Amino acid sequence: MKKLNKKHQARINTLFQQAQGYFNSGYLQQARSGCTDILQLNPQHAEALHLLGLICHRAGDTQSAVQFIEQAVAANPKSEAYLGNLGTMYSMLGNIQAAARAYERALAIAPHSAAIHMNLGVVYTREGRYDDAIEAYRKAIALKPGFAEAHNNLGMDLERKALLNEAAAQFQLALKHNPQLQNARQNLLFLLSYYCLSTPEQVLEEHRQWDRIYGAHGRQHQFAHSRHGDPHKRLRIGYVSPDFRRHPVSTFIEPLLAKHHRDQVEIFCYAEVFEPDAVTKHLQSLADHWRSTINTPDEQVAHMIHDDQIDILIDLAGHTAFSRLPIFTYKPAPIQATYLGYCATTGLQAMDYWITDNVLHPDNTHDCASETIYRLPRCWVVYQPPAGAPDIQPRAAHAPLTFGSFNNTRKLGDAVISAWCTILNRVPGSRLLLKSRYLDQPHERQLIAEKFRQHGIAPDRLQLQGASPFPDYLNVYNEIDIALDTFPRSGGTTAADALWMGLPVITLAGQRYVERLAASKLSAINRSEWIANTTEEYIEIAVSLANNPQLRAELRQTQRAAMAASPLCDGEGLATAMEEAYRTMWRDYLEQP
């Protein structure tokens, strides 16, 4: 190609400056025309190709953006900016390997770029390469001290590797450098609560800090409500959740929605569901009114709820992913409560109640809450037996006795592993089957196996399985004799599934909600003898059940039917209890001065 003369080059420079200006001002069509004119004069003009890629991306055509930026890289392979943007585009398209290659090429050119190290860490995380991601985030922080987002991402990957205290420290550093980084604060709250890493007093203070920062605007614009009303009226109940989809929360909320008495309550669901599925469609059929809250600002949703004249608004997510807790700070309903989807207080001044039960929160509970704890007179949830659950099979006569846990392997702290190893040593020839999606990763299996080896348990006594589709997941319970719950963080859905598959479930109940989830379910099926109060008790119950094959065989034949007839599967009973709670809350509200 002939070298451009000065006149043509000056023309190209002017066109590019104009195109860049149009792009910066949001005039994409004019910017596109300018780039097209440049490429007619010089088809290999790297800057124009790159800008055209950015224009396509901003217009929503990321596939075309990749093609143009690839051409820009071919024209100028030494630009870390082009390669960095190429990596971002590939990442958005889900081509993680191509994204990683682009970022790695960019780092070869600009090894001191904190942003590229950060972006590379993100794609490594998405590939499951957590060690590589951790190294990338640490390099980003070293190059850019105070890089809050990198501290936050580092914390998330440390949590994935079960380095919980180190993860908490990274979230705290992220907030030190950027107190407004909501994702880091939410991650910290969940970590401290879910794994009981802090005292209840500290947990409460951290949650209140969230409210002080993110609830300020809502408190300044709270709705006023009258205390005049009919104590016998049909109550308008609103449920707010991002989990009206295939999710553990939906399996527990579905029977409540199905059994609500429509002469007593009118049900509104406010759904923060980005990808509706068949479960979403079914839940929508169970609601009287369905409102999507996707891409709707908090204050606007609060006005929606207020206009719906909701009497009692229920949060089903707490500080979990995609929750809409800020809505509650506006107090769009006169009574607000949190239920089911979180493991601790919300910390909100505007949240009136935390709905649980007497087992989750005994009188001497250690939990501290900004809400009034409202204890239902029965188990706080109902288990919905999964359709298509496999039949319970008898254990083969000569099969080795197998303990099992399907809990998240992040819950396997040193105390849990030590107790389980003691049990295995007390029951010669026994095995332990662990099943978790994290065990799909080879390094995770190696990590778990090494922890047990340090306690004298050889790898051949462990069966480590990754995720399975339903119903294969439930069928694996047929390979287990006794289910072991984790502690201090107790299992929720996993405990109920194991019970439904005819297994005894042994749990160690502490004094916090998060430590007593399985205990509540066991109490509901009248199996409190499997609830331990000390680690020694926990071990003794496991060993005793291991030495009682007759009882275990009987449970496999009778437990499912007994469970189906228990309060744990009584949707009608839960609906009645919840409606009585709502009625009490409403009357108390009307009677307050």
Side-chain angles (χ1 to χ4, degrees):
M1 186 176 187
K2 294 168 66 174
K3 185 176 181 181
L4 296 173
N5 60 38
K6 291 183 179 180
K7 182 178 178 180
H8 279 148
Q9 189 60 54
R11 173 62 175 158
I12 287 174
N13 291 343
T14 300
L15 285 172
F16 184 76
Q17 290 174 3
Q18 291 174 344
Q20 186 74 61
Y22 281 132
F23 177 76
N24 292 338
S25 300
Y27 297 107
L28 300 187
Q29 188 56 49
Q30 292 88 334
R32 187 190 298 270
S33 296
C35 289
T36 301
D37 290 343
I38 293 170
L39 294 174
Q40 288 177 346
L41 294 170
N42 180 3
Q44 293 183 341
H45 193 279
E47 289 180 300
L49 289 165
H50 178 250
L51 181 58
L52 198 51
L54 298 182
I55 292 167
C56 291
H57 168 62
R58 188 174 290 183
D61 185 1
T62 306
Q63 188 66 58
S64 294
V66 164
Q67 294 173 3
F68 283 115
I69 298 177
E70 284 275 22
Q71 293 178 54
V73 169
N76 181 6
K78 296 298 184 180
S79 171
E80 74 273 11
Y82 297 174
L83 286 163
N85 284 334
L86 181 62
T88 299
M89 299 303 159
Y90 272 128
S91 181
M92 294 184 68
L93 290 175
N95 191 338
I96 305 304
Q97 288 78 16
R101 288 194 297 270
Y103 287 136
E104 287 164 352
R105 288 176 64 190
L107 277 181
I109 299 166
H112 301 298
S113 171
I116 296 176
H117 279 292
M118 168 73 168
N119 290 338
L120 187 58
V122 171
V123 297
Y124 284 159
T125 294
R126 291 176 65 181
E127 286 185 294
R129 296 167 59 183
Y130 302 128
D131 291 330
D132 292 333
I134 286 170
E135 182 181 358
Y137 295 137
R138 292 196 190 280
K139 287 180 179 177
I141 293 166
L143 290 164
K144 182 182 176 182
F147 196 166
E149 291 80 3
H151 280 294
N152 179 54
N153 285 9
L154 175 57
M156 289 192 288
D157 276 353
L158 289 170
E159 180 183 352
R160 291 183 177 102
K161 289 182 64 63
L163 299 171
L164 305 180
N165 289 308
E166 293 181 40
Q170 291 300 320
F171 295 141
Q172 288 163 340
L173 283 169
L175 293 169
K176 175 184 176 182
H177 297 299
N178 182 2
Q180 299 295 325
L181 190 57
Q182 186 168 354
N183 190 30
R185 191 166 299 279
Q186 200 164 46
N187 287 335
L188 178 62
L189 295 181
F190 184 82
L191 188 73
L192 296 180
S193 306
Y194 190 85
Y195 297 108
C196 302
L197 297 185
S198 293
T199 67
E201 292 79 13
Q202 290 170 330
V203 169
L204 174 59
E205 176 55 29
E206 290 288 350
H207 284 75
R208 282 179 166 161
Q209 180 68 4
W210 184 98
D211 190 35
R212 282 192 284 269
I213 295 174
Y214 303 108
H217 185 270
R219 284 194 298 276
Q220 293 171 3
H221 298 84
Q222 282 190 351
F223 293 91
H225 303 282
S226 170
R227 292 191 183 274
H228 300 290
D230 179 4
H232 306 290
K233 65 171 283 189
R234 184 188 184 201
L235 295 174
R236 296 164 79 89
I237 308 298
Y239 291 105
V240 182
S241 178
D243 300 322
F244 292 133
R245 56 190 172 88
R246 190 172 301 282
H247 187 276
V249 167
S250 69
T251 65
F252 288 105
I253 199 64
E254 190 273 339
L256 177 60
L257 295 180
K259 295 297 183 179
H260 264 314
H261 301 93
R262 292 312 200 269
D263 60 331
Q264 294 295 314
V265 293
E266 185 175 1
I267 301 302
F268 294 71
C269 287
Y270 300 92
E272 185 72 3
V273 180
F274 290 90
E275 297 182 359
D277 55 20
V279 174
T280 307
K281 185 176 181 180
H282 176 60
L283 294 176
Q284 187 170 356
S285 73
L286 298 178
D288 297 305
H289 309 276
W290 188 269
R291 308 275 192 260
S292 174
T293 60
I294 293 298
N295 298 322
T296 308
D298 296 327
E299 191 165 3
Q300 188 175 333
V301 177
H303 277 278
M304 180 194 306
I305 293 167
H306 185 260
D307 291 344
D308 283 338
Q309 298 181 314
I310 298 301
D311 299 307
I312 303 177
L313 188 66
I314 309 296
D315 158 59
L316 297 175
H319 293 278
T320 60
F322 309 113
S323 75
R324 298 301 302 265
L325 268 185
I327 293 166
F328 288 78
T329 66
Y330 292 87
K331 197 73 172 180
I335 302 167
Q336 301 188 150
T338 186
Y339 170 66
L340 180 62
Y342 190 54
C343 54
T345 177
T346 64
L348 271 61
Q349 292 181 19
M351 197 70 75
D352 301 296
Y353 297 98
W354 179 4
I355 300 173
T356 67
D357 64 36
N358 287 304
V359 178
L360 289 172
H361 277 136
D363 290 339
N364 62 341
T365 182
H366 291 177
D367 271 319
C368 298
S370 59
E371 309 88 355
T372 296
I373 295 176
Y374 192 103
R375 298 169 173 87
L376 297 177
R378 48 147 293 137
C379 182
W380 93 117
V381 293
V382 158
Y383 176 69
Q384 178 79 0
D391 292 336
I392 300 170
Q393 302 295 331
R395 289 284 282 147
H398 301 293
L401 188 133
T402 303
F403 298 97
S405 172
F406 287 14
N407 283 288
N408 180 341
T409 52
R410 302 296 174 268
K411 300 177 185 179
L412 304 189
D414 292 341
V416 172
I417 290 177
S418 176
W420 289 359
C421 289
T422 299
I423 292 168
L424 290 170
N425 285 325
R426 292 270 305 273
V427 183
S430 62
R431 296 181 181 180
L432 176 64
L433 189 157
L434 302 180
K435 188 173 183 62
S436 166
R437 62 187 176 91
Y438 293 106
L439 292 173
D440 286 326
Q441 303 293 334
H443 71 269
E444 183 77 8
R445 294 195 295 273
Q446 293 169 5
L447 177 66
I448 295 297
E450 175 59 21
K451 288 182 177 181
F452 278 88
R453 188 196 64 77
Q454 291 174 2
H455 287 272
I457 300 300
D460 61 1
R461 297 187 69 185
L462 300 177
Q463 294 175 258
L464 305 179
Q465 297 186 12
S468 296
F470 181 87
D472 296 342
Y473 152 80
L474 284 177
N475 202 43
V476 178
Y477 280 112
N478 277 319
E479 303 174 26
I480 297 171
D481 297 285
I482 300 166
L484 299 175
D485 190 25
T486 48
F487 57 86
R489 178 56 168 90
S490 177
T493 305
T494 53
D497 286 342
L499 293 170
W500 188 249
M501 292 303 297
L503 301 183
V505 175
I506 306 166
T507 189
L508 174 56
Q511 292 301 314
R512 305 191 208 186
Y513 173 102
V514 76
E515 300 175 273
R516 301 177 67 84
L517 299 173
S520 178
K521 296 179 177 67
L522 288 172
S523 296
I525 67 167
N526 198 29
R527 285 293 182 179
S528 296
E529 70 270 22
W530 298 337
I531 303 173
N533 295 306
T534 66
T535 305
E536 292 73 22
E537 260 187 70
Y538 180 96
I539 293 168
E540 290 302 325
I541 294 170
V543 173
S544 176
L545 282 167
N547 292 325
N548 195 340
Q550 183 176 350
L551 173 60
R552 298 198 312 273
E554 180 184 333
L555 291 171
R556 297 180 92 88
Q557 294 178 348
T558 63
Q559 183 161 287
R560 181 175 287 187
M563 183 174 168
S566 76
L568 187 54
C569 295
D570 180 12
E572 177 79 19
L574 176 62
T576 297
M578 289 290 281
E579 289 159 12
E580 289 175 353
Y582 295 156
R583 185 67 59 187
T584 298
M585 294 174 189
W586 176 244
R587 288 173 175 165
D588 287 349
Y589 172 78
L590 295 179
E591 292 172 1
Q592 291 173 11

